[in-house]
Amino acid sequence: MKKMHYQFVLLLCLLTQQLQSHNLFGNAKEPHELITEMAIELHQLKEQHQNRYWEFNHQLAIISKNLVAETNLERKMELLIKKDAIREQLSLLKNETNNEISKIRYLKGLQIIKILYEKVLGLDHHFASVRTLNEINKIANPNQYPEYSKLKEVVNAKKDKKTSLDLTAVLGTNPIVSVVETFTNMITSTLTKSEKEKGIADVECILDFTLRMQNDLNTIYFETAFLQTSNDKIKQEIELLFKDYTKPIGYTASLDNCRTNDDWESITQKMEDYLSKMKSTTGNAQYKMQVNIEFPIDRLLQFIAQYNNFIDQGGKFYEKFKIILNSYENEKQCETKLPLEYKKLKSDIEVAINKFNVAYKPVEVNGTKMKEILYGLNEFD
């Protein structure tokens, strides 16, 4: 009685473990962890079926040996019938194995798509919250600083009307032209030497920072915009991948709708129905059904490679931004005069680098793990 109770508890534990391993909901694991899990499950499946394969092949070997030695025609017929029956069992086992492999790979692949989509959406939110062109312009344009605006007012009040320059509304917003105008007018103005020196001292750090860093700050903005555009393409690719991935099992909702409505359970049910139908199908029809759910795995690998390249590229871009922002050589002398937006931008870059290295890190798929995903376990020793 105790033995039966123990067996029941063991069976219940195994079933619970299987259900948890194929759970699509609330999974906080990383893709590379899911890939490792899949490799383990495929290996366990191999171990479970290997003894059955060995037993069938062993029986076939014995029957073949007995057929050679057997002289009685009736006994030969019995052995041939038994041999055919074992071959049929062996064929059924192969189909069962292939179905289980397809199920494991398909479910894990779907979990990976779900997690990567969350990462892509996180990146989308990140790029939407970074410095805008307007904010970059505030940092890089001296006309946006009150100290410089005050100097221009002082110079305009004391400038020589005959020799001074008056810029148009367009040229007046150009940082370099504006600085040239202000200092040209200052030279010919009625300001005293001490007033000129004080005026220059008040804005020297602002002018030094903006004129040195203007091109670099614009580079950061435009390259960030490029990364955001690239992320939009990645988002479109994973949405298309999901469509191709779920099409064979008859699921038609988009990835965004599936996520919004938390409809992962429907996909699981449709997959179970599809596998049940595939199990009862034979011949070319069964083979075609299996190919239809195996092919998306290759598409998933292609997307993972694309995602990894983008994350590597993004990390390198932000490392470059960090170097750019740290390259201002007079930062210590002008620390009290530098805008808060500049310090905030440096902080944002540090956060972004950490995200690319940790939260959005490349999916580790290579070597043996890649073979497991791409080919499954098609042969048994």
Side-chain angles (χ1 to χ4, degrees), residues 144-157:
Q144 300 291 331
Y145 292 79
E147 297 92 337
Y148 181 68
S149 296
K150 183 178 179 181
L151 175 63
K152 287 201 300 181
E153 290 176 4
V154 171
V155 171
N156 283 334

Side-chain angles (χ1 to χ4, degrees), residues 328-336 338:
Y328 177 51
E329 57 189 57
N330 292 324
E331 183 174 355
K332 288 185 178 180
Q333 297 95 307
C334 295
E335 188 173 4
T336 59
L338 295 179

Side-chain angles (χ1 to χ4, degrees), residues 57-222:
N57 286 320
H58 180 65
Q59 290 179 29
L60 286 174
I62 293 174
I63 291 174
S64 296
K65 184 178 179 180
N66 290 339
L67 275 171
V68 174
E70 184 61 59
T71 56
N72 183 280
L73 185 60
E74 186 175 344
R75 282 285 301 151
K76 274 185 175 290
M77 288 297 297
E78 290 177 0
L79 288 172
L80 285 171
I81 293 171
K82 189 175 182 181
K83 188 175 182 179
D84 285 341
I86 294 173
R87 280 178 172 171
E88 180 63 25
Q89 287 180 302
L90 190 59
S91 177
L92 291 173
L93 177 58
K94 287 181 178 179
N95 287 337
E96 179 187 339
T97 302
N98 289 335
N99 284 342
E100 287 299 314
I101 290 172
S102 297
K103 182 177 180 179
I104 291 170
R105 296 173 70 206
Y106 191 88
L107 277 172
K108 292 299 179 186
L110 193 59
Q111 286 177 302
I112 291 170
I113 289 173
K114 179 184 178 184
I115 293 170
L116 288 181
Y117 189 57
E118 293 299 327
K119 290 180 180 291
V120 171
L121 291 179
L123 278 167
D124 194 48
H125 175 73
H126 162 74
F127 287 125
S129 63
V130 296
R131 308 295 91 190
T132 65
L133 181 58
N134 184 51
E135 291 171 314
I136 290 291
N137 185 55
K138 288 180 180 179
I139 303 175
N141 192 337
N143 290 302
Q144 300 291 331
Y145 292 79
E147 297 92 337
Y148 181 68
S149 296
K150 183 178 179 181
L151 175 63
K152 287 201 300 181
E153 290 176 4
V154 171
V155 171
N156 283 334
K158 297 291 184 77
K159 69 183 179 180
D160 186 334
K161 304 296 183 181
K162 294 180 180 180
T163 61
S164 64
L165 297 173
D166 288 313
L167 299 178
T168 63
V170 175
L171 285 175
T173 60
N174 184 292
I176 296 176
V177 176
S178 174
V179 170
V180 171
E181 177 210 26
T182 300
F183 278 85
T184 301
N185 289 339
M186 180 187 287
I187 293 171
T188 60
S189 70
T190 59
L191 290 169
T192 64
K193 181 180 179 182
S194 61
E195 287 175 329
K196 291 177 181 178
E197 288 176 347
K198 182 181 182 305
I200 293 173
D202 289 341
V203 298
E204 63 176 346
C205 280
I206 292 171
L207 294 178
D208 183 68
F209 172 75
T210 54
L211 295 179
R212 285 178 186 269
M213 299 295 292
Q214 185 182 93
N215 289 336
D216 289 335
L217 289 169
N218 285 334
T219 295
I220 291 175
Y221 168 75
F222 287 113

Side-chain angles (χ1 to χ4, degrees), residues 9-53:
V9 172
L10 180 60
L11 177 61
L12 183 62
C13 289
L14 289 171
L15 287 172
T16 303
Q17 184 181 24
Q18 281 293 316
L19 289 172
Q20 289 175 342
S21 68
H22 294 310
N23 181 27
L24 292 173
F25 316 111
N27 198 321
K29 294 179 180 178
E30 288 294 318
H32 69 274
E33 294 175 309
L34 293 173
I35 292 166
T36 300
E37 278 186 2
M38 184 180 68
I40 292 172
E41 288 186 33
L42 289 172
H43 178 72
Q44 289 174 342
L45 178 65
K46 175 182 178 180
E47 292 295 318
Q48 292 168 7
H49 287 202
Q50 208 167 24
N51 288 336
R52 294 172 66 189
Y53 273 96

